[in-house]
Amino acid sequence: MDRIFYNGVIRTLDAAYPLCSAAAVKDGVILRLGSDEEILALAEAGTEKIDLGKKLMLPGFIDSHLHMLNYIEFLEQVNLSGAASLDEVKTRLSEGLPQAIEKGRWLAGVSFNQDYWDAPLMPTRKDLDEVSAEVPIVIRRACFNMSVVNTKGMDMLGILGEREATSDMLLGYYEDGTPNGIIRQHSQDILAHAVTIPPLEEIKRMILKACGDMIEKGITSVHSEDYINYAVDSSELVSQAFKELAAEDKLPVRVYQQCAFRTKEQLEAFLATGNKPGTEFGRYKIGPLKVFQDGALGARTARLKDGYQNDPGKKGILIHPEEELYGLLATAHKNGMQVVTHCIGDESLEVTMDTYERVMREFPRLDPRHGIIHCQIMSRQLQERFRELNILALVQPVFIESDMNIVDDCVGSELAKQSYNWRAFIDMGVHMCGSSDCPVEVFDILPNIYHCVTRANKDGSKTWYPENGVTIDEAVRMFTIEGAYASFEESVKGSITVGKLADFVVLDCDIYEADPTELLKTNVEMTVIEGEVVYKKR
Ligand SMILES: [Zn+2]
């Protein structure tokens, strides 16, 4: 016996044995569960005993969609989130200017959201020129779907001469027909050339830094999308970094890679170089193909069937035409690969569901577990297709903090109240897992659970269709056992069950008994991975 955890409130999420107070662990695996008396009696000479002090222990948290490398990149660039005006954005950028000059690099700002500004207008290159006309500047919107570049940067990228009628890039334009500095969607790839791709050791450092922050939040597994951070073809370098860390036994958190590719050819090349779906390299595992099918609501790029009510004529974008999407999905599906697709608008969701149905019918395969990431705007009829096709829903409850202020205006209340309907997913028996999409939002699991249960904003001043919320137990399952299901690992983790991995989180409040507002004040006391205490609150 390596270690015994006792005197706790252990909620196992296993219906066969839902509550106990002690757990014994050996070689990273849960050996026995029971009362303090029963388990402490198993102690041997070298057994370490850890008193949980009557605190709540749950299975370790699993975030089923985030971006680890982007998170670190964002930490190390100028953070524009929470800025209340364009002036504040300029001030923050000016503060970062000396460092950019010193390093001879672009001045990069991340996570602006003009919806929160006193005058909510999209900035353009001329606004950024006021910060500097000599240093190239890029700022990225919080949703990732849009960037703004100053005139110097546009010039360096060689795209100041683009014109709407002839350009195949997704750019914004001034009335005089010249580009205004706004770059949308995949056209942002051009920025990869501006941001130096870090060397292997730097990527490894970033991964370890992200893991260090995640274990402080009780996260023991993540599904992370990291292949298109710097350039379309970063998959080899990034996966090498993960594989080396795993081989050196240095990867603290389990990582299930959501492999983002834009073309069938890129995916085929990846599969041809030994990256068999589901292969485990220690704690690093090759996960699903990740496909982007539309944008975001705030940027008005999420593809809506009936268009934007608050912006007549706008429908959003569909990234892959149907046949192209089919090519990507069929390639993955035929190679035994799971697929998860980013869909926010109802039209992109419908096209994706049609394509899932088609590939599953043409190439029947056991238990593919394809999924949709975000699953936001949809009618009840469209939602039923998740059940009919057994498609996973990977949702981000924390998004409603801001989305509750825009969705009704974008799509009308009739559709808004059928959208983000987590209650209906659970009632249908659909596998729904929770995630943060960090760095779009922070990866704290507890606020995410709060939004999931209360359907309220953080200060509690507004709720949004609270009937679409779930219970605390259902929300905790979304961030544990359902996350494990999404990576085909529900038999080895996701609940506290004898024979499963000893991945735990200990909280300083029994969130099952407390008022949901306590979720915002609850702290992670301890994180345990394979029986090792990897984090302990001081
Ligand atoms: Zn994402």
Side-chain angles (χ1 to χ4, degrees):
M1 197 76 51
D2 298 331
R3 208 160 279 119
I4 285 174
F5 298 88
Y6 70 101
N7 190 30
V9 176
I10 305 180
R11 296 189 186 275
T12 66
L13 303 195
D14 184 336
Y17 197 5
L19 190 65
C20 60
S21 67
V25 171
K26 187 172 168 62
D27 295 339
V29 173
I30 302 166
L31 204 65
R32 283 282 293 277
L33 299 169
S35 66
D36 292 348
E37 204 179 8
E38 288 166 332
I39 301 302
L40 287 169
L42 302 173
E44 297 157 357
T47 305
E48 184 187 2
K49 296 172 200 161
I50 296 179
D51 184 351
L52 295 174
K54 295 262 185 285
K55 302 271 166 62
L56 173 66
M57 181 186 261
L58 293 170
F61 290 140
I62 301 173
D63 187 315
S64 61
H65 175 68
L66 51 69
H67 308 257
M68 287 171 67
L69 290 179
N70 278 142
Y71 162 71
I72 295 300
E73 193 183 19
F74 275 35
L75 278 186
E76 295 174 356
Q77 296 181 349
V78 179
N79 184 359
L80 303 176
S81 71
S85 64
L86 178 56
D87 280 341
E88 195 176 334
V89 165
K90 288 185 202 162
T91 307
R92 291 191 197 179
L93 285 171
S94 299
E95 287 163 4
L97 194 56
Q99 210 192 353
I101 293 172
E102 192 190 317
K103 287 188 173 171
R105 297 180 67 163
W106 281 55
L107 173 59
V110 289
S111 261
F112 80 89
N113 187 346
Q114 83 284 0
D115 287 342
Y116 294 134
W117 297 351
D118 41 18
L121 278 181
M122 265 299 283
T124 65
R125 66 178 158 91
K126 287 176 186 166
D127 296 309
L128 299 182
D129 290 348
E130 291 170 28
V131 177
S132 176
E134 289 83 38
V135 174
I137 303 175
V138 56
I139 60 172
R140 224 168 165 193
R141 199 173 181 280
C143 62
F144 287 17
N145 292 286
M146 216 187 264
S147 297
V148 188
V149 173
N150 70 344
T151 305
K152 173 73 181 179
M154 293 290 282
D155 193 25
M156 285 173 68
L157 295 172
I159 54 174
L160 260 182
E162 295 290 304
R163 293 297 175 266
E164 194 160 15
T166 51
S167 180
D168 52 9
M169 293 187 72
L170 295 166
L171 303 177
Y173 295 89
Y174 288 124
E175 270 177 19
D176 68 1
T178 60
N180 65 9
I182 295 173
I183 307 178
R184 291 192 177 84
Q185 302 299 331
H186 55 270
S187 291
Q188 295 173 100
D189 280 353
I190 194 169
L191 292 161
H193 304 293
V195 182
T196 321
I197 298 176
L200 184 69
E201 288 308 315
E202 176 74 359
I203 296 178
K204 287 167 79 173
R205 177 194 67 80
M206 292 167 80
I207 292 169
L208 290 179
K209 192 169 170 200
C211 290
D213 289 357
M214 292 188 297
I215 56 177
E216 290 186 14
K217 302 296 180 187
I219 296 171
T220 54
S221 297
V222 290
H223 302 196
S224 187
E225 178 196 329
D226 303 296
Y227 285 174
I228 52 166
N229 282 286
Y230 306 102
V232 178
D233 59 357
S234 68
S235 63
E236 218 181 299
L237 191 63
V238 172
S239 53
Q240 189 188 345
F242 276 109
K243 287 172 189 173
E244 285 187 12
L245 285 172
E248 294 158 11
D249 213 10
K250 284 187 190 151
L251 198 60
V253 170
R254 295 174 215 290
V255 179
Y256 189 56
Q257 184 64 249
Q258 294 178 331
C259 311
F261 293 102
R262 295 256 169 73
T263 68
K264 191 175 142 214
E265 290 70 31
Q266 287 169 348
L267 173 61
E268 281 166 346
F270 176 76
L271 292 170
T273 47
N275 293 295
K276 195 174 174 310
T279 308
E280 289 180 47
F281 301 86
R283 288 180 178 166
Y284 183 64
K285 184 174 177 182
I286 304 293
L289 166 68
K290 159 75 193 288
V291 180
F292 270 93
Q293 189 52 353
D294 67 351
L297 288 170
R300 307 218 170 113
T301 48
R303 178 73 169 195
L304 299 176
K305 274 184 177 184
D306 297 327
Y308 286 78
Q309 296 205 356
N310 52 350
D311 199 346
K314 272 239 168 74
K315 284 197 78 173
I317 59 161
L318 214 48
I319 293 179
H320 299 287
E322 214 163 327
E323 280 310 303
E324 191 178 292
L325 182 68
Y326 170 78
L328 258 171
L329 266 52
T331 302
H333 182 83
K334 282 192 285 187
N335 280 284
M337 194 177 200
Q338 186 185 20
V339 182
V340 291
T341 306
H342 165 123
C343 295
I344 288 183
D346 52 359
E347 187 160 311
S348 68
L349 178 61
E350 186 162 83
V351 169
T352 305
M353 284 293 191
D354 288 348
T355 313
Y356 279 148
E357 187 170 354
R358 180 174 164 200
V359 299
M360 290 195 288
R361 189 178 58 236
E362 290 177 7
F363 312 102
R365 199 185 109 196
L366 288 173
D367 202 14
R369 300 195 195 182
H370 299 318
I372 302 285
I373 297 178
H374 304 310
C375 317
Q376 289 168 211
I377 306 302
M378 68 186 79
S379 65
R380 179 62 188 236
Q381 203 184 4
L382 198 45
Q383 192 172 15
E384 289 284 348
R385 295 188 70 186
F386 281 83
R387 167 164 61 185
E388 289 157 10
L389 297 172
N390 196 20
I391 298 294
L392 315 185
L394 290 79
V395 306
Q396 297 71 37
V398 66
F399 279 13
I400 69 163
E401 172 80 15
S402 62
D403 286 2
M404 63 163 69
N405 301 311
I406 63 166
V407 174
D408 291 78
D409 289 342
C410 287
V411 304
S413 294
E414 194 48 45
L415 189 53
K417 72 179 176 208
Q418 297 173 70
S419 300
Y420 302 69
N421 191 345
W422 311 318
R423 178 77 260 149
F425 275 131
I426 289 198
D427 291 344
M428 285 177 191
V430 168
H431 286 283
M432 173 172 61
C433 24
S435 72
S436 61
D437 203 10
C438 176
V440 174
E441 293 288 345
V442 291
F443 50 53
D444 294 17
I445 303 292
L446 296 162
N448 226 321
I449 292 177
Y450 164 85
H451 291 294
C452 211
V453 172
T454 62
R455 299 279 299 195
N457 57 1
K458 284 204 182 69
D459 65 19
S461 61
K462 187 175 173 184
T463 56
W464 190 59
Y465 306 113
E467 65 277 17
N468 293 346
V470 305
T471 67
I472 187 97
D473 184 59
E474 288 163 343
V476 170
R477 283 171 189 279
M478 289 164 64
F479 288 93
T480 53
I481 189 70
E482 291 295 350
Y485 182 86
S487 61
F488 300 87
E489 292 169 306
E490 73 278 12
S491 63
V492 297
K493 66 184 191 187
S495 67
I496 301 178
T497 301
V498 170
K500 282 194 177 183
L501 291 165
D503 291 359
F504 310 130
V505 57
V506 179
L507 304 178
D508 66 359
C509 164
D510 185 355
I511 56 174
Y512 277 64
E513 296 293 333
D515 185 85
T517 54
E518 292 295 319
L519 283 159
L520 298 174
K521 299 175 213 148
T522 299
N523 295 298
V524 171
E525 288 267 326
M526 190 190 292
T527 306
V528 179
I529 300 184
E530 277 177 62
E532 301 288 332
V533 177
V534 292
Y535 168 73
K536 200 170 185 318
K537 190 173 150 245
R538 288 162 190 274

